[in-house]
Amino acid sequence: MKFQMITTAAVMTACVSVSQASAASFDGDTQFGSILSIRASGELHWAKGSTSVSTGDPIITGVWGGNNQGAGTVKEIAVGDIDFDGFGDILTARNIFDTTGPVTWTERNSATTAGGVGGVSFNVSPANSIAMGELDFDGNGDMILGRDDGWITWVERIGNNVTSNISQNKGGVVSVDIGDLDGDGNGDVVIARPDGMINWTERVGDSLTGVFTGANTSLANTIRIGNMDNDGDGDVIVGRADGQISWAERDGNNLTGRGSFNVGGVIDLALADESDGGNGGGDVFIARPDGTVLWVEADPINQNFHSVATSPLIAGIGASLTSIDVGDLNGNGMLDIVVGLDDGVGGGSLAWLEVQGTSIVVLDPFYNMGSPIVDLRIADRVVPAVLVGDLNSDGFVGIDDLNLVLGNWNQNVTPGNPLEGDPNGDGFVGIDDLNEVLGNWNAGTPPPPSAVPEPATLALLGMGAATVLRRRK
């Protein structure tokens, strides 16, 4: 049994650290979101959620298509604003080896057009995956490329170009994602490897440092960083070739497997947070081989999943789903799902679904794209920040979170349950859990003033807590 002492000074010494919220805005339209996709023909395509002029029904409307990058050469796309000029950017991972490199940068030029930007002059191995995020928060957008040769390359935007920063051998790359697993302000990269292992690499200065490799998840095809249990730790969700999804939790500098769930097959997956109004943990939406979308929700207590809803059949006979993403296309506060399809005979389409209560409803089942969809992303959405130290998920790190730790001090509890004061997931409430709250004190949006103690009151609480804990010693 472990025991740590809290001092009044420790309670009063607090700093704030919170991971950044990011907005993947493509055209700045706050009414309708954008759908950016790449077709097997090699062309990019920009569509939007809309409503029919004649019926008022939700429909997908095409905006622009072009910037052909060669049939069969593009594996994945990423969408954001890497140059922070207010114009959305599309980055594509190209599965070829040529003098222009494996990334093409396309920027939104106006409300209805997009085009290539700058020279893309670096040259690395053909890429199979791409993720966009902020690794070093220096005002230059960052990308991570997963490569066919088993390496990753960190690519940074410099002016109207992109520059290769550093490459590392990861022993194979199936899928990559960027986030902040540990809330320290350094971007983290997670890699699903062909051997089923997850590799966690962190940005340190201008380099990348391996943190952990393990948490075998069987044969993976997709990896994403999200927040499944609202405990301030980033979570990793992996889609697997055996039809299951796996959840790995960040515990210090480790990733620990929490639970797996049979979803009947995984083509692609997307994560959301509290899409059903806060009835549980984070949500996973899976495009399945049978042509349906399955919605499963994380159980923060048992750290596993349960099914919520399955969509009606989307893909027809001979057709299949190829990709999925989630956002809010029509600004009504309900989560929307877009899937790409391949009809099996050289054609393809997009379908728009929406979460309504605990059901998935098909709004527009067929928008003809003329070619199978390889990958897609929904833009014009806000990705929730992971608020480190907010144990009760009220959007603020304060006295209620401190009380959850103090109320269970020196106790063995359910591992990783923030409501029992154990955000670090070791099953024991102690100094590490306290430091996570104190290190992020006052982060977020405060609750009503009556619920926030004055500084003098907080000092008294700290001294009282220290006294109580000395008596327990």
Side-chain angles (χ1 to χ4, degrees):
M1 182 69 73
K2 298 180 289 183
F3 184 83
Q4 295 92 5
M5 176 63 91
I6 309 175
T7 66
T8 303
V11 173
M12 294 305 297
T13 303
C15 63
V16 176
S17 172
V18 58
S19 62
Q20 303 294 310
S22 62
S25 178
F26 192 72
D27 62 359
D29 177 1
T30 58
Q31 183 178 8
F32 293 110
S34 296
I35 307 165
L36 289 309
S37 58
I38 182 71
R39 297 179 283 191
S41 62
E43 281 195 320
L44 294 174
H45 190 273
W46 172 12
K48 290 183 69 67
S50 186
T51 55
S52 169
V53 175
S54 59
T55 66
D57 295 331
I59 59 171
I60 296 173
T61 302
V63 178
W64 172 89
N67 200 12
N68 195 314
Q69 300 173 41
T73 66
V74 177
K75 292 294 188 179
E76 284 192 345
I77 66 171
V79 177
D81 184 2
I82 64 168
D83 50 3
F84 306 106
D85 63 354
F87 287 79
D89 303 294
I90 308 171
L91 279 298
T92 56
R94 300 170 64 199
N95 195 32
I96 56 175
F97 190 89
D98 63 16
T99 57
T100 63
V103 171
T104 298
W105 174 6
T106 302
E107 183 165 67
R108 190 257 309 176
N109 296 327
S110 69
T112 58
T113 62
V117 177
V120 184
S121 58
F122 71 93
N123 196 356
V124 299
S125 171
N128 58 36
S129 51
I130 186 171
M132 185 186 297
E134 260 299 302
L135 284 175
D136 49 9
F137 300 102
D138 63 352
N140 290 320
D142 303 295
M143 291 145 277
I144 291 291
L145 283 175
R147 297 169 23 179
D148 285 357
D149 63 1
W151 291 58
I152 61 170
T153 296
W154 172 9
V155 181
E156 185 163 51
R157 189 276 308 183
I158 305 294
N160 279 341
N161 207 330
V162 289
T163 301
S164 174
N165 277 5
I166 190 170
S167 298
Q168 285 189 349
N169 189 346
K170 294 301 175 182
V173 181
V174 175
S175 180
V176 301
D177 201 13
I178 296 175
D180 189 357
L181 280 177
D182 47 10
D184 64 355
N186 287 323
D188 300 295
V189 181
V190 291
I191 300 110
R193 305 196 321 185
D195 61 3
M197 294 289 186
I198 299 173
N199 176 268
W200 170 13
T201 293
E202 183 166 58
R203 191 278 305 186
V204 178
D206 290 328
S207 186
L208 296 169
T209 299
V211 178
F212 173 82
T213 299
N216 195 315
T217 59
S218 186
L219 300 179
N221 58 24
T222 312
I223 193 167
R224 297 285 184 265
I225 297 175
N227 187 14
M228 293 291 102
D229 49 10
N230 303 305
D231 65 352
D233 284 333
D235 303 300
V236 179
I237 300 298
V238 177
R240 297 169 22 178
D242 63 1
Q244 302 210 39
I245 59 172
S246 287
W247 173 0
E249 170 94 0
R250 197 277 299 189
D251 293 329
N253 284 337
N254 295 312
L255 292 172
T256 302
R258 293 302 191 203
S260 296
F261 189 71
N262 191 339
V263 296
V266 181
I267 299 296
D268 192 17
L269 65 82
L271 305 183
D273 189 21
E274 305 294 346
S275 65
D276 56 348
N279 292 330
D283 304 286
V284 187
F285 294 85
I286 303 104
R288 303 197 299 182
D290 65 359
T292 64
V293 171
L294 175 66
W295 169 15
V296 303
E297 185 172 56
D299 178 346
I301 303 300
N302 298 314
Q303 295 186 312
N304 210 316
F305 302 94
H306 65 271
S307 298
V308 179
T310 303
S311 75
L313 183 69
I314 304 164
I317 297 175
S320 61
L321 303 182
T322 64
S323 49
I324 186 171
D325 202 11
V326 296
D328 186 0
L329 281 180
N330 52 2
N332 65 355
M334 297 181 185
L335 191 75
D336 296 304
I337 308 162
V338 175
V339 292
L341 294 96
D342 179 345
D343 68 7
V345 291
S349 61
L350 298 172
W352 175 8
L353 305 86
E354 186 172 63
V355 169
Q356 297 181 2
T358 55
S359 299
I360 300 175
V361 177
V362 178
L363 299 184
D364 184 356
F366 183 80
Y367 175 77
N368 189 2
M369 294 285 283
S371 178
I373 305 302
V374 176
D375 194 27
L376 65 86
R377 292 289 183 270
I378 295 178
D380 306 320
R381 63 177 181 179
V382 175
V383 181
V386 176
L387 188 58
V388 179
D390 179 20
L391 308 190
N392 66 348
S393 302
D394 66 352
F396 182 71
V397 181
I399 194 65
D400 291 337
D401 306 295
L402 178 63
N403 285 339
L404 287 173
V405 175
L406 298 181
N408 292 284
W409 187 258
N410 206 33
Q411 301 297 314
N412 293 309
V413 297
T414 306
N417 185 359
L419 296 179
E420 293 184 19
D422 181 34
N424 79 336
D426 65 357
F428 178 80
V429 181
I431 197 68
D432 292 338
D433 307 293
L434 175 72
N435 286 339
E436 184 157 300
V437 174
L438 297 181
N440 297 280
W441 192 259
N442 281 335
T445 302
S450 61
V452 181
E454 296 295 326
T457 304
L458 181 58
L460 289 173
L461 286 168
M463 289 186 287
T467 301
V468 169
L469 293 172
R470 288 190 187 99
R471 290 172 180 173
R472 291 186 183 181
K473 186 174 179 181

